[in-house]
Amino acid sequence: MITNDGAVGVGLAGFGTVGSGVWNTLARNGGLITERAGSAVKFEIHQIVVRDPDKPRAASVPTELFTTDWQSMVEHPLVEIVVELIGGTEEAFELVAASLGAGKPVVTGNKALLAERGEEVFALARRHQTPVYFEAAVAGGIPIIKAARESFIGNQIDLISGIINGTSNYILMRMTEAGLDYPTALKEAKELGYAEADETLDVNGWDAAHKAMLLGAIVHGFLIDPDEVYVRGIEYVRPLDICFAKDLGYVVKLLCIVRQHEDGSIEIRTQPSFIPKTNILASVNDVFNAVAIRGDGFGDALFYGRGAGQDPTASSVVSDLVDAGRSLREAPKGGNQGFLPYRKKGTLKPIDETETAYYVRFPVTDRPGVVADIASLLAKAGIGISGTHSSIVPDEPDAAFVDMVFLLHTCPFGTLKSALKAIEDLDCVTERPVVFRIETL
Ligand SMILES: NC(=O)c1ccc[n+]([C@@H]2O[C@H](COP(=O)([O-])OP(=O)(O)OC[C@H]3O[C@@H](n4cnc5c(N)ncnc54)[C@H](OP(=O)(O)O)[C@@H]3O)[C@@H](O)[C@H]2O)c1
């Protein structure tokens, strides 16, 4: 299967943002890559799969490389590695399955595919002894998969905390810095090209959750069922809570947490959270990503960089391509075989048992005794109060409604939920309380 000139044959599925970035990176730095990786590792792209072969393309690619027929690309005798960059979970799955079935290693940036259908994909990888590489699927240009899988292999990983969705991070930053409301900040993100036309997965937390699930799988060895993951997005974050956060010394970030508990269970969740202004993650702005990782040997490490975009993501795809190429040429009977889940099943900690401190805002009627009524129900549930705060402003001293904020000591989320149920029944509470976790990390 080796091509005439000894290059590793590649089939590229997808020539959009990332696919064309891969082409450009190989065109720009192919010589350098071969110098570094060894003469056996140079690449030749034999076919490129797209939806519309007639679409004008920015990169100058021989038109005969384009095809709409992914099956023929996978079966092409000169294609040894398949790069999947079409996205989605249906056709991409068929393509990946066919590649693995043909014994052709796969490089992908498709976090949705791996998070939603990882069980099937990795079963095929195992059955056909053919690796799947996916550095680009988590945090774009940041080499966190390789670090977690290889560099930190000698550590128990206690905690991963990450800001891994650039779109949400940009929107929350603009709400914080410019006081924009959510729809205005989203509109701005779209105009700047930071949010997709369909922003759903970015803002509802699932894009970040998919990445957190992959990180969890890498460091804890088992695939995580999406149905068991607690996910909340940023769509309901209100400027009022961002203002309160500021006043109280916090910033609101869409935060992913993957934490190992002493009983061996894994806590995994994604939600907008308060983090102290002094925490290093609080200064991650714009569309940047950051992943903080804590291990029993190395302590704390922080990875910061561009979590998306053409060149950063292509950088990760090309890194995987080099690993796959090296493995094919230099270590065909071993070497770097990508990731396979190494435990059958782990236990996720039920969300109601996870513990943090909380910020809770109660919209209430402004009458004497409100604070005492709420405080007594919190006390009855055994929840301590570390502070209170209210939205009464000097020029509106006679407002009929106010927002009362309670900062609560650490307790299980389930305990808080039960207490809030009782508090919601008080006649002074006019709307559902708004809850944010306070993360000390
Ligand atoms: N963009 C990023 O910054 C980024 C970062 C990390 C990971 N990723 C992941 O990388 C993957 C690709 O993202 P992208 O932003 O490059 O997407 P994109 O710009 O929308 O490009 C998708 C490409 O795939 C082709 N395509 C889509 N469906 C196809 C089908 N059914 N058959 C054949 N070709 C098909 C399209 O063809 P046409 O060109 O003809 O339309 C296009 O070339 C996704 O899984 C994404 O989650 C992206």
Side-chain angles (χ1 to χ4, degrees), residues 130-150:
T130 304
V132 178
Y133 300 85
F134 53 92
E135 183 68 69
V138 181
I142 304 175
I144 186 67
I145 296 289
K146 199 166 213 168
R149 194 168 68 86
E150 295 179 19

Side-chain angles (χ1 to χ4, degrees), residues 139-223:
I142 304 175
I144 186 67
I145 296 289
K146 199 166 213 168
R149 194 168 68 86
E150 295 179 19
S151 311
F152 297 145
I153 195 167
N155 293 258
Q156 295 273 2
I157 302 296
D158 303 322
L159 177 65
I160 299 175
S161 43
I163 295 170
I164 44 183
N165 182 272
T167 308
S168 295
N169 200 46
Y170 181 81
I171 291 171
L172 289 174
M173 180 195 78
R174 293 295 291 153
M175 290 175 74
T176 306
E177 286 185 353
L180 304 183
D181 60 11
Y182 169 74
T184 312
L186 171 63
K187 188 164 165 277
E188 189 181 284
K190 282 190 174 184
E191 282 162 5
L192 289 167
Y194 294 158
E196 304 281 327
D198 178 2
E199 73 281 0
T200 313
L201 287 182
D202 284 324
V203 299
N204 72 7
W206 272 103
D207 175 80
H210 284 150
K211 296 168 185 168
M213 288 162 63
L214 289 173
L215 284 172
I218 295 266
V219 300
H220 298 301
F222 65 96
L223 293 170

Side-chain angles (χ1 to χ4, degrees), residues 13-21 48-57 66-70 84-88 91-92 95 108-113 135-141 196 207 211 307-314 317:
F15 204 71
T17 304
V18 187
S20 56
I48 301 175
V49 180
V50 289
R51 242 178 329 219
D52 176 5
D54 300 323
K55 202 191 247 184
R57 309 279 168 183
F66 288 108
T67 176
T68 56
D69 180 1
W70 63 258
E84 183 281 304
L85 295 168
I86 66 173
E91 202 142 8
L95 191 156
T108 179
N110 193 336
K111 56 250 164 191
L113 173 69
E135 183 68 69
V138 181
E196 304 281 327
D207 175 80
K211 296 168 185 168
Q310 184 162 68
D311 288 341
T313 312
V317 173

